[in-house]
Amino acid sequence: MKQRSVAVAAAASALILISGCSGASNNGGDTTCKDFLAMRVDDRDATVAKMLKEREARNASTADVEDKRTMLVGLCQPSDKQGSKISDLA
């Protein structure tokens, strides 16, 4: 079990590092819905992982990141939410 946790943490760290090189701005929870929806899936995952780490002071599991990303995509769709920070919706 511990090996899996280490592997998930390593994958999340690698994802954040890789997405940091992609040119997408990762502002964590301060990212607006408009910017979030314009990102590639990998960049969305890195942004959600950063937001969750900011909140919980720990690395989130891959499943938690994916679930939160999926939820945020739906919550960010309405046009009146485009300026909202994802942390305000999550």
Side-chain angles (χ1 to χ4, degrees), residues 3-4 6 13 19 22 33 53 57 62 77-79 82:
Q3 286 180 327
R4 182 166 186 228
V6 171
S13 296
S19 66
S22 70
C33 280
K53 182 155 186 159
T62 302
Q77 291 297 326
S79 60
Q82 297 299 295

Side-chain angles (χ1 to χ4, degrees), residues 18-77:
I18 291 169
S19 66
C21 298
S22 70
S25 177
N26 183 347
N27 295 321
D30 289 336
T31 303
T32 64
C33 280
K34 180 179 179 181
D35 292 341
F36 184 73
L37 292 175
M39 293 176 176
R40 297 176 312 155
V41 171
D42 290 345
D43 295 330
R44 288 178 184 172
D45 283 350
T47 300
V48 169
K50 183 176 178 181
M51 177 188 72
L52 293 174
K53 182 155 186 159
E54 291 166 350
R55 279 190 182 169
E56 301 170 14
R58 67 173 180 81
N59 290 327
S61 71
T62 302
D64 288 343
V65 170
E66 291 171 351
D67 290 346
K68 189 68 74 173
R69 173 193 21 98
T70 300
M71 181 192 75
L72 283 166
V73 168
L75 292 172
C76 282
Q77 291 297 326

